[in-house]
Amino acid sequence: MPKAKVNNGIFSVLSETAKLYCLNFPQFAKYMLFPVLGQVIGLAWIFGLANIYTANLPLLIEEIPAFNDFSVIILCVILIIVPGMIVWMKAFWDYLVAYGALNSMAESALNTGKVYDFPAHNSLITQRTAKYLGLWLLYGIFGLLALNPLLWVLGGIFFIYFILIFQVFTFEPEVSITGCFKRSFELIKGNFARTFVIMTVIAVFTHFLFVEGFSVFFDFTKLTDVLVGFFENQVTTVPLDPVNEWLININPGATLLTPLNISQFLAYQVVAFIVISFTLPVRSIGWTLWYKVLSESSNKSERKSSSKNSRKVKKLDKNIIERANRKDD
């Protein structure tokens, strides 16, 4: 399949993003299956079984004398939680890796029209694990600072300037951790408005429209009721009276918290998490295409203004392209 061409216009980037995602939707959905649902299942395992164990502990102590020992109780808690924790940690790590690997997959789709051989794409990230963790650590520190209400505006501006750090990490392996932030800033500089528009359009679809649409689907299939019931079993053990008294003292007209409305809120958050996480490929494709546009433009400007060699951008692994061009099994 011939390489797709992307113009430097906003509409071209967005339309090509939608095209590549739709054409390769089964592959992207399969890739995100464990990183997303693994986190949900892992947490459900931890809190669900722990709650069941806690609720039945008095009966166990009464029926089985061995449970009348603090060390035995703690050991059972560990045995219950550890498997779920392992599943969650593995899924969470795979989700972090996806932030980089999906960029490589997007380039593969752009060049060959196909996306598979997930381990090859993952290896482009995992072979630099220490550096990748450093990038996430620095990004996490920046995110925590931006949570300060006084820094929301400034944090939002820098968030846009740093939005291509994972693309820089994937395609420019020689760049340092701080260099990823610097390079992203350089690419976005002069293209802030267009980047903001692309971000807004993608966010509206992946963080709002798709979430609302799937919320209706979950309501129709009664999956929302299942989630609400699960959370109600957890929330009923939480003492809400002190919290409600505090809310009334602050605002007499405040809506009181109940196990039902808390459970409904948590159920919606789970649906939102699943949908937003599954649509990570959309964002990765869009930002990869935008990175390619800005990087090529930057390199052209460097060649015109200086005789120095332009920055070398990592090309897609030849083995990935060769395997993509082979006939599917």
Side-chain angles (χ1 to χ4, degrees):
M1 182 175 179
K3 181 178 179 179
K5 293 183 178 180
V6 182
N7 298 323
N8 61 359
I10 294 175
F11 178 78
S12 176
V13 171
L14 292 173
S15 61
E16 190 64 26
T17 297
K19 176 184 175 182
L20 291 177
Y21 180 70
C22 292
L23 290 177
N24 298 278
F25 174 77
Q27 291 83 359
F28 285 124
K30 178 182 178 181
Y31 178 75
M32 297 302 301
L33 194 63
F34 177 73
V36 177
L37 297 186
Q39 292 186 67
V40 176
I41 293 172
L43 291 177
W45 182 317
I46 293 170
F47 292 103
L49 292 184
N51 184 65
I52 293 174
Y53 175 72
T54 303
N56 290 277
L57 186 57
L59 179 61
L60 291 173
I61 294 175
E62 181 180 342
E63 297 292 334
I64 305 175
F67 276 92
N68 196 19
D69 187 321
F70 183 74
S71 60
V72 173
I73 294 174
I74 295 300
L75 178 62
C76 290
V77 170
I78 294 174
L79 292 176
I80 290 172
I81 290 178
V82 166
M85 184 66 70
I86 292 174
V87 172
W88 178 82
M89 290 178 66
K90 178 62 168 66
F92 181 68
W93 169 244
D94 287 355
Y95 187 74
L96 294 183
V97 171
Y99 266 82
L102 282 168
N103 301 323
S104 177
M105 294 181 198
E107 188 182 35
S108 177
L110 188 65
N111 283 279
T112 68
K114 298 179 181 180
V115 174
Y116 50 87
D117 199 354
F118 301 145
H121 294 289
N122 287 340
S123 67
L124 296 177
I125 306 303
T126 55
Q127 65 187 1
R128 294 178 285 155
T129 297
K131 183 177 177 181
Y132 193 59
L133 289 175
L135 181 69
W136 269 108
L137 177 61
L138 188 57
Y139 184 68
I141 294 174
F142 162 73
L144 289 175
L145 293 175
L147 290 177
N148 187 330
L150 299 176
L151 299 176
W152 282 355
V153 175
L154 185 62
I157 293 173
F158 277 101
F159 174 79
I160 296 175
Y161 275 114
F162 296 151
I163 206 163
L164 297 180
I165 58 173
F166 294 104
Q167 284 68 36
V168 175
F169 179 89
T170 303
F171 299 116
E172 303 185 31
E174 76 283 356
V175 177
S176 65
I177 295 174
T178 56
C180 290
F181 287 83
K182 181 181 178 181
R183 173 65 169 161
S184 177
F185 186 93
E186 292 172 349
L187 292 173
I188 300 300
K189 186 171 61 176
N191 298 282
F192 184 91
R194 293 196 296 168
T195 304
F196 177 79
V197 172
I198 293 174
M199 183 192 71
T200 301
V201 173
I202 292 177
V204 166
F205 276 92
T206 62
H207 287 70
F208 178 71
L209 294 180
F210 289 168
V211 172
E212 293 300 319
F214 274 88
S215 295
V216 173
F217 171 78
F218 270 66
D219 291 341
F220 178 76
T221 57
K222 305 300 182 181
L223 290 174
T224 301
D225 295 338
V226 174
L227 290 173
V228 171
F230 172 81
F231 284 118
E232 268 194 297
N233 291 333
Q234 317 299 318
V235 177
T236 49
T237 61
V238 178
L240 297 177
D241 291 340
V243 179
N244 285 326
E245 291 178 4
W246 177 74
L247 289 174
I248 292 175
N249 290 333
I250 296 177
N251 181 11
T255 302
L256 298 181
L257 297 178
T258 66
L260 179 59
N261 59 30
I262 293 177
S263 300
Q264 290 173 336
F265 171 78
L266 293 175
Y268 179 83
Q269 296 306 311
V270 169
V271 175
F273 168 77
I274 292 174
V275 175
I276 293 172
S277 298
F278 262 110
T279 55
L280 175 61
V282 176
R283 298 186 289 280
S284 294
I285 294 171
W287 294 127
T288 295
L289 296 179
W290 191 229
Y291 164 83
K292 291 293 183 182
V293 168
L294 298 183
S295 181
E296 290 175 4
S297 176
S298 174
N299 288 338
K300 287 179 181 179
S301 298
E302 289 176 2
R303 285 194 294 268
K304 289 181 179 179
S305 62
S306 175
S307 59
K308 296 181 180 179
N309 292 330
S310 61
R311 183 182 300 269
K312 293 183 179 180
V313 177
K314 187 182 184 303
K315 300 297 183 182
L316 188 66
D317 190 334
K318 292 182 179 179
N319 293 327
I320 296 177
I321 297 178
E322 290 175 0
R323 285 189 287 269
N325 286 325
R326 295 172 187 168
K327 185 176 181 180
D328 293 338
D329 293 336

